[in-house]
Amino acid sequence: MPMTHELIVDSVVVRFGEKTVVSGGYITSRTGVVTGLLGRNGAGKSCMFRALMGGLKVDYVSVHVDGKPVDINKIGLTVKYLPQGRMIPEGLTLKDAFRLYQVDFWAFVVLFPKYSGKYHARLWEMSGGEARLAELYLVLMADAPFCILDEPFSQIDPVHIEAVQRLIREKSLEKGIIVTDHNYEAISTVADRLYVLADGYTSPVENRDDLVRHGYLLPR
């Protein structure tokens, strides 16, 4: 039975000049739970997580793990992050990428046999979907108590979606996972609890009416 850990990201403020994108960003994650963050394109989901990971200079962000503050400069030891864009340098081979993340490549091949001949392939030699699936797997399997997946289903071959959803559910038994997407159906399929980011603030979602109230969904 893995140890239970809790991540709290609070008071995130992101501004670009005079424009405030996020003014009350908040989300939690804990071992055994998949947390979904919804929001329209441009709502600030990626900005909030780039702030958490130290990749975006912001006015303020508070990060605690198990009640203790976390140094943003060392957050990568605690939280692994799959960004929207390319994560692995295109010149790197899959062999080297899996070695750097200390993840078993051949266990990956068991799940996705099409990669069996790509051990020495470089990322630029693969399609966007092939590279995305490998990066997603690395983040999920890397040794860290939490991971954030930003639009994990984008570019993924539809035949692999169910396998990815199943893998997320399986890995959530031993780590906290945050999945962010603008697609309600994709998120609600795997998430145990939901938040929505709208008008700069994060709010918990209990039902569809909450999403309508925050302008994310239209009334039926």
Side-chain angles (χ1 to χ4, degrees):
M1 189 86 177
M3 291 181 62
T4 298
H5 299 285
E6 183 175 38
L7 169 73
I8 298 177
V9 183
D10 195 10
S11 305
V12 183
V13 179
V14 181
R15 293 190 181 97
F16 296 106
E18 297 297 317
K19 182 180 180 181
T20 300
V21 179
V22 181
S23 50
Y26 170 85
I27 200 165
T28 67
S29 179
R30 69 190 309 271
T31 309
V33 176
V34 179
T35 302
L37 178 65
L38 297 163
R40 294 182 178 276
N41 286 336
K45 302 185 302 297
S46 296
C47 289
M48 194 163 92
F49 293 123
R50 286 171 60 202
L52 159 64
M53 299 305 299
L56 180 66
K57 186 177 180 180
V58 296
D59 287 28
Y60 191 77
V61 57
S62 170
V63 183
H64 287 75
V65 172
D66 299 336
K68 299 178 180 179
V70 177
D71 182 351
I72 290 295
N73 295 317
K74 299 178 180 178
I75 192 67
L77 298 174
T78 304
V79 183
K80 300 302 181 186
Y81 176 47
L82 176 73
Q84 281 190 27
R86 183 58 57 85
M87 181 182 79
I88 302 171
E90 293 193 347
L92 208 64
T93 64
L94 278 187
K95 172 187 174 182
D96 289 337
F98 275 74
R99 179 177 55 81
L100 286 171
Y101 274 77
Q102 299 182 342
V103 174
D104 184 355
F105 175 79
W106 301 109
F108 174 59
V109 170
V110 170
L111 290 177
F112 305 103
K114 66 180 289 185
Y115 289 84
S116 60
K118 299 183 182 294
Y119 188 51
H120 296 286
R122 299 185 186 279
L123 269 291
W124 64 263
E125 298 176 294
M126 302 179 196
S127 69
E130 289 173 335
R132 184 69 170 172
L133 183 56
E135 292 176 333
L136 169 60
Y137 185 86
L138 287 173
V139 170
L140 277 172
M141 303 303 292
D143 184 18
F146 302 98
C147 68
I148 295 173
L149 310 176
D150 194 345
E151 305 254 357
F153 303 109
S154 67
Q155 301 185 65
I156 299 292
D157 191 322
V159 302
H160 293 143
I161 294 295
E162 286 190 11
V164 169
Q165 291 172 328
R166 188 163 54 249
L167 188 60
I168 290 173
R169 296 299 308 164
E170 290 173 357
K171 294 306 293 182
S172 74
L173 298 176
E174 58 190 67
K175 62 177 64 183
I177 299 176
I178 297 175
V179 184
T180 177
D181 203 287
H182 62 274
N183 188 313
Y184 174 64
E185 297 299 330
I187 288 288
S188 60
T189 300
V190 296
D192 298 300
R193 61 186 180 191
L194 291 171
Y195 292 84
V196 61
L197 180 60
D199 299 321
Y201 290 87
T202 310
S203 303
V205 174
E206 299 296 335
N207 51 51
R208 191 180 187 280
D209 289 342
D210 289 335
L211 295 174
V212 173
R213 181 161 49 86
H214 288 289
Y216 178 77
L217 294 179
L218 294 174
R220 286 174 175 166

